[in-house]
Amino acid sequence: MAKPELCYLCLVLVVVEICSQPAAAGSLVKFLPGFQGPQLPFELETGYVGVGDSEDVQLFYYFIKSEFEPESDPLMLWISGGPGCSALSGLIYEIGPITFEPVEYNGSLPTSILNPYSWTMVASIIFIDLPVGTEFSYARTPAALQSSDLQASDHAYQFLRKVSEHQKERTLFTTPLFYEYLAG
């Protein structure tokens, strides 16, 4: 196994451990193994939101609040696509507030460092594993696992509706919503 894949696998295992209990409203994550410091210097929430018939589709998300002015900064939705690409890749390797320290792998847990170019400095971002079956998102029934582009877009719409209902105290949707979609 190549070094970057092994680092990614270690982080996935850490996230699975942190998020082993599905959360209706999400769970705040204050600490990550491999991150040096007393706690994360940004607000990270993870959880599942049920969508579809009888909420048989459970979509996993990471929410990171803007580090600048969360009340007025835009909210961005990041969908990496799948069924093989987790939103975690966007969070760690592209625009999120943490990344791996670029050192040769020595067999230990990778060290996470702050990303000085993180988009969370000016926007709140929801990273979502979509469509169902991508990384941590799952289906409770075999029928719910069958997904088309139309169903995936409907699931994204249902997800945003439910998140906005449960997050009213945060006023997530008072600013424009932007999205990035790299599925395919």
Side-chain angles (χ1 to χ4, degrees), residues 2-159:
K3 293 174 189 168
E5 287 86 9
L6 194 53
C7 289
Y8 182 72
L9 177 62
C10 287
L11 184 64
V12 167
L13 293 174
V14 167
V15 171
V16 167
E17 177 64 27
I18 290 170
C19 306
S20 61
Q21 298 291 325
S27 299
L28 286 178
V29 177
K30 295 184 184 253
F31 308 96
L32 284 178
F35 183 79
Q36 305 300 316
Q39 68 179 36
L40 295 175
F42 52 87
E43 187 174 320
L44 169 62
E45 178 184 304
T46 63
Y48 286 91
V49 173
V51 299
D53 298 334
S54 305
E55 297 189 347
D56 283 344
V57 171
Q58 296 291 307
L59 297 178
F60 184 79
Y61 70 93
Y62 308 86
F63 170 72
I64 302 174
K65 186 186 276 189
S66 171
E67 299 171 59
F68 184 58
E69 294 180 0
E71 298 79 25
S72 60
D73 286 346
L75 172 67
M76 190 172 104
L77 179 64
W78 182 276
I79 304 171
S80 295
C85 187
S86 170
L88 183 62
S89 65
L91 192 154
I92 296 294
Y93 295 114
E94 297 180 55
I95 64 170
I98 56 172
T99 189
F100 291 124
E101 184 174 25
V103 297
E104 186 172 332
Y105 181 67
N106 63 8
S108 66
L109 187 65
T111 301
S112 298
I113 58 173
L114 291 176
N115 175 4
Y117 308 107
S118 173
W119 291 13
T120 59
M121 292 182 183
V122 294
S124 294
I125 304 175
I126 299 173
F127 296 87
I128 181 173
D129 285 341
L130 184 76
V132 62
T134 303
E135 197 65 34
F136 299 119
S137 292
Y138 66 94
R140 292 182 175 168
T141 66
L145 190 56
Q146 304 304 314
S147 183
S148 66
D149 289 344
L150 185 59
Q151 285 173 312
S153 63
D154 184 52
H155 289 162
Y157 174 75
Q158 290 179 44
F159 172 88

Side-chain angles (χ1 to χ4, degrees), residues 146-177:
Q146 304 304 314
S147 183
S148 66
D149 289 344
L150 185 59
Q151 285 173 312
S153 63
D154 184 52
H155 289 162
Y157 174 75
Q158 290 179 44
F159 172 88
L160 289 172
R161 296 273 309 203
K162 288 188 176 188
V163 167
S164 68
E165 290 169 9
H166 290 349
Q167 304 290 342
K168 286 183 181 179
E169 72 278 0
R170 289 194 181 172
T171 61
L172 288 180
F173 298 104
T174 59
T175 60
L177 172 69

